[in-house]
Amino acid sequence: MKGTERAKWKEERLAQMLAKLKGRDFRLTPQRLAILTILAGSEEHPTVDEIYTEVRNKFPTTSIATVYKTIALLKELNEVLELGFPDGSNRYDGNRPYPHPHVICMKCRKILDPEIASVDQLSEEMKNKTGYTISSHRLDFFGLCPECQHNS
Amino acid sequence: MKGTERAKWKEERLAQMLAKLKGRDFRLTPQRLAILTILAGSEEHPTVDEIYTEVRNKFPTTSIATVYKTIALLKELNEVLELGFPDGSNRYDGNRPYPHPHVICMKCRKILDPEIASVDQLSEEMKNKTGYTISSHRLDFFGLCPECQHNS
DNA sequence: CTGCATGCAAATAGTTTGCATGACG
DNA sequence: CGTCATGCAAACTATTTGCATGCAG
């Protein structure tokens, strides 16, 4: 994907989020817009704290509670994907809010989002095998990125 | 799998854990043995609190710190699998400590461990695509179990 | 006996909640 | 202008840590 395409996609994501908000009569405050913009545009799967720090650049009085509340709202609207890790370090992807695989470096925490042959057939297989309805999933691989393999 | 086979497997799992401990000169206290036994035998993916409560039946003075410390130890030894959920409710599988898929009911929290066509080829694909080394993964499906589909 | 494990309490981290004040629509 | 969002602080939950005492090897 070229840089210009990516920039366009970020705008589109933001527009989608705003549409969802408007559709449900939620208010658009400056702080909210800032948080949505960060989430729509970031490809680094930021933590709450990282989002918090960045928002504070523009709105220094923003509280972390607002960040949490906004994220909770977006989760309800399915406009953000939550990546939960066992050590309690959650990260968020508002750029691609649908379930998709991740490859995570256990040393430097860098995360990639590689394209992959669909996992949907696996969902189908699970459904047939267990009788569960499947509404979402997660598929994450843990290892070491090329740089961290070298420096270890 | 028949009940007797399952019972045998649980014993074997416990033996494996004990061997790992012995191999590294860790001590075997009654509390530890109780925790290992629960983890080796449980198919319900218990939480720390559930393990804690059960251990206390036999050893009422056991502290929750001991449960955490024992689990941390087993994690290091790769003898327990940690299932981390975004809401901060971690569950543990000592019966099958290797990565494997789960199907989780979002209402009653029941978890199944269905057999599945190997995910290892996906790991390989990820490795080739990203240059990461892949040492573990997780694959979890979320939905509603048959009972909860009815009662909703 | 010697050192690692336990148990207790305090500390920490991430997140949530209550409520008075502020501002979007 | 009414209502929902914000910001602050306090509350909460899960987990970790420090340290004196206990017990396995």
Side-chain angles (χ1 to χ4, degrees):
Chain A
M1 200 192 282
K2 283 190 310 180
T4 51
E5 289 176 24
R6 182 158 283 162
K8 192 164 245 174
W9 171 244
K10 290 179 182 180
E11 277 177 42
E12 196 180 325
R13 276 297 302 139
L14 182 57
Q16 288 173 6
M17 288 179 173
L18 293 176
K20 269 272 182 72
L21 280 194
K22 193 160 279 180
R24 299 231 202 154
D25 287 327
F26 289 116
R27 292 182 184 169
L28 184 60
T29 63
Q31 297 92 326
R32 246 180 209 180
L33 178 58
I35 296 169
L36 297 203
T37 304
I38 292 168
L39 281 169
S42 163
E43 297 163 42
E44 281 75 38
H45 311 81
T47 63
V48 166
D49 251 326
E50 288 163 350
I51 297 166
Y52 178 52
T53 302
E54 194 169 339
V55 178
R56 275 179 94 94
N57 290 337
K58 291 223 165 186
F59 302 95
T61 68
T62 307
S63 91
I64 197 158
T66 298
V67 178
Y68 276 108
K69 284 167 184 169
T70 303
I71 290 176
L73 178 60
L74 290 173
K75 270 199 286 182
E76 273 183 41
L77 301 175
N78 279 305
E79 288 296 325
V80 72
L81 183 72
E82 183 173 55
L83 312 187
F85 297 109
D87 56 321
S89 70
N90 288 347
R91 290 165 171 272
Y92 296 89
D93 189 344
N95 193 248
R96 303 175 215 66
Y98 45 85
H100 61 277
H102 299 93
V103 180
I104 299 138
C105 179
M106 298 186 308
K107 197 174 174 198
C108 73
R109 305 247 121 197
K110 187 166 56 190
I111 302 180
L112 297 184
D113 302 52
E115 304 289 331
I116 202 181
S118 162
V119 197
D120 295 344
Q121 35 195 322
L122 282 182
S123 289
E124 189 65 21
E125 188 182 339
M126 291 297 101
K127 186 185 130 202
N128 295 334
K129 208 164 245 174
T130 64
Y132 279 51
T133 57
I134 306 294
S135 54
S136 84
H137 70 263
R138 66 179 176 192
L139 173 55
D140 301 319
F141 298 89
F142 300 91
L144 289 177
C145 71
E147 293 78 47
C148 289
Q149 290 169 45
H150 261 248
N151 313 337
S152 66
Chain B
M1 203 194 282
K2 283 190 312 185
T4 51
E5 289 175 26
R6 184 158 282 165
K8 191 164 248 176
W9 170 245
K10 290 179 182 181
E11 278 176 42
E12 195 179 325
R13 276 297 301 140
L14 182 56
Q16 288 173 6
M17 287 180 175
L18 293 176
K20 269 276 182 69
L21 279 194
K22 193 161 281 181
R24 302 232 202 154
D25 288 327
F26 290 117
R27 291 184 183 165
L28 185 59
T29 63
Q31 297 93 326
R32 243 177 212 183
L33 179 58
I35 295 168
L36 297 203
T37 305
I38 292 167
L39 280 169
S42 164
E43 297 164 42
E44 281 76 39
H45 312 80
T47 63
V48 166
D49 251 325
E50 287 162 352
I51 297 167
Y52 177 53
T53 302
E54 194 169 341
V55 178
R56 281 190 147 240
N57 291 337
K58 293 222 164 186
F59 302 94
T61 68
T62 307
S63 91
I64 197 158
T66 298
V67 179
Y68 276 108
K69 285 167 184 167
T70 303
I71 289 176
L73 179 60
L74 291 173
K75 269 199 284 181
E76 272 183 41
L77 301 174
N78 279 304
E79 288 296 326
V80 71
L81 183 73
E82 184 172 54
L83 313 186
F85 296 111
D87 55 322
S89 70
N90 287 349
R91 291 166 170 273
Y92 296 90
D93 189 343
N95 193 250
R96 302 176 215 67
Y98 46 84
H100 61 277
H102 299 93
V103 181
I104 299 137
C105 178
M106 299 185 308
K107 197 173 173 196
C108 72
R109 303 250 121 194
K110 187 165 56 190
I111 301 179
L112 297 184
D113 301 52
E115 304 289 333
I116 202 183
S118 162
V119 197
D120 296 342
Q121 36 196 322
L122 282 183
S123 290
E124 190 66 22
E125 187 181 340
M126 291 297 102
K127 186 185 130 204
N128 295 334
K129 210 165 244 174
T130 64
Y132 280 51
T133 58
I134 307 294
S135 54
S136 86
H137 70 263
R138 65 178 176 192
L139 174 55
D140 301 320
F141 298 88
F142 300 91
L144 290 175
C145 71
E147 294 77 48
C148 289
Q149 290 170 45
H150 261 248
N151 312 336
S152 65

